[in-house]
Amino acid sequence: MITTMHATTASAVSNRLAAMRRSSGANTFTRVLTLIIVADDLAGAEHGINAANGASREHPCRIIAVVPEGGAGPASIDAEIRVGGDAGLSEVVILQPKGEPAGAVDTLVMPLLLPDAPIVVWWTGEPPAEPSRDPLGAMAQRRITDATASADPLATLRALAPGYAPGDTDLSWSRVTLWRGLLAATLDEPPHEPILAARVTGARNRPSVYMLAAWLADSFGVEVEIDVEDSKAVTRVELQRERGPITLRRTPGASVAILSRPGRIDQRINLVERALADCLTEELRRLDADETYGRVLTRGLPLVVPAEVLS
């Protein structure tokens, strides 16, 4: 069920949403959070909504997509409401504020928030420099950015570090969760030798490559080299130890990686490139601070991406 409203108000949208829920037999008791998606345009909003609908299988939520248009014209709001099959397991409200309301999006979404439920804000495009100080970010327990979607991903990632606050995270971090888990599990096996050096290979302008390298640098206190290639993600990690290197490599586009260790037969491991919905699902599982992400962003990243790289 889809309803479109033009030149309306936030309270009118809230009333219409409640009426649509009653007529469709839906209720809010199964909604576990409010997800606010801030997009640069309608295409970005739809892209985010599609991913959020996928994540809603594990995290049923109310999705509020905000697409500020700004401008100097008269203040008005256009809205679209989706309930039932058109919204997956969620309820979707798309707000397009124009004129003066575009600068006060926090007051626009307040009537639509689920009562007594956590708030998560996700910027699908260019994020604010300090998400926790953004009007919407200040209301949220969790703030998600995606440096990969910005015009200059590495510069955006570095710019997020000075303004980091507990509750912040970036999807470049969850894109390498499987890599981090496999490497950590491998290092738990004997022999427990120290890591002497590391090398990460992947796409030149992919933040996940640098976040994985930063995690290694921060975790082991060693120099981490980054080799860039024509790919879309991380393709190889090599950890040097006294008895020989541990290598985890994946051909671009493949779903299986090869784990090589000295004195052992190569092991084939399932390692798919994660979809956007999978990354978002992971980030919605926790509403507390991700201390490891904060440490890697603020301490590890400068070790592998010096400022001169961005100039």
Side-chain angles (χ1 to χ4, degrees):
M1 183 183 301
I2 301 177
T3 294
T4 301
M5 304 173 68
H6 297 285
T8 186
T9 64
S11 59
V13 174
S14 179
N15 292 336
R16 180 67 65 86
L17 175 59
M20 290 175 66
R21 282 204 318 270
R22 288 193 297 269
S23 63
S24 66
N27 61 67
T28 62
F29 296 118
T30 57
R31 310 293 182 232
V32 298
L33 58 88
T34 300
L35 175 62
I36 303 174
I37 299 175
V38 184
D40 298 331
D41 51 37
L42 280 175
E46 291 292 353
H47 185 60
I49 290 169
N50 288 336
N53 280 337
S56 70
R57 295 183 178 91
E58 184 173 322
H59 309 284
C61 58
R62 174 173 293 175
I63 301 169
I64 304 173
V66 182
V67 188
E69 294 192 10
S76 65
I77 305 171
D78 292 341
E80 181 177 288
I81 306 172
R82 304 174 187 174
V83 174
D86 297 299
L89 297 180
S90 301
E91 301 166 341
V92 179
V93 179
I94 303 175
L95 298 177
Q96 291 180 265
K98 304 174 183 179
E100 184 180 352
V105 291
D106 53 332
T107 59
L108 292 180
V109 303
M110 283 181 182
L112 299 169
L113 299 176
L114 289 172
D116 302 320
I119 301 170
V120 179
V121 179
W122 172 25
W123 290 268
T124 61
E126 295 287 345
E130 294 186 70
S132 63
R133 293 182 178 272
D134 179 86
L136 289 176
M139 300 191 303
Q141 286 76 33
R142 192 78 162 157
R143 297 167 293 274
I144 304 173
T145 56
D146 190 1
T148 304
S150 64
D152 191 337
L154 291 186
T156 298
L157 197 61
R158 279 293 301 266
L160 289 171
Y164 169 78
D168 292 354
T169 191
D170 191 87
L171 293 179
S172 62
W173 180 239
S174 49
R175 287 188 175 99
V176 293
T177 296
L178 300 180
W179 285 86
R180 291 186 286 117
L182 288 173
L183 292 170
T186 300
L187 294 175
D188 279 342
E189 301 175 354
H192 301 106
E193 297 177 332
I195 302 300
L196 306 177
R199 183 189 302 271
V200 177
T201 304
R204 175 182 300 276
N205 211 28
R206 197 73 169 182
S208 55
V209 174
Y210 297 86
M211 288 299 286
L212 182 56
W215 173 69
L216 293 171
D218 179 70
S219 298
F220 302 113
V222 298
E223 181 179 352
V224 181
E225 296 184 19
I226 297 178
D227 288 342
V228 297
E229 64 177 16
D230 186 15
S231 64
K232 296 182 179 180
V234 178
T235 57
R236 181 185 178 98
V237 176
E238 185 175 300
L239 305 179
Q240 292 291 342
R241 297 197 298 188
E242 184 176 346
R243 297 190 187 186
I246 296 173
T247 304
L248 182 62
R249 63 188 185 277
R250 179 183 65 190
T251 302
S255 60
V256 175
I258 306 299
L259 176 63
S260 301
R261 292 160 289 183
R264 301 184 62 173
I265 298 175
D266 287 356
Q267 182 178 356
R268 294 170 60 86
I269 302 174
N270 186 43
L271 185 59
V272 298
E273 291 187 20
R274 306 191 78 188
L276 183 61
D278 296 330
C279 296
L280 181 62
T281 298
E282 177 185 326
E283 294 299 345
L284 295 180
R285 287 188 187 127
R286 58 181 302 171
L287 298 176
D288 59 327
D290 189 338
E291 296 178 354
T292 305
Y293 165 78
R295 188 170 61 248
V296 169
L297 180 70
T298 58
R299 291 192 341 198
L301 193 63
L303 299 177
V304 298
V305 189
E308 55 266 22
V309 171
L310 304 176
S311 59

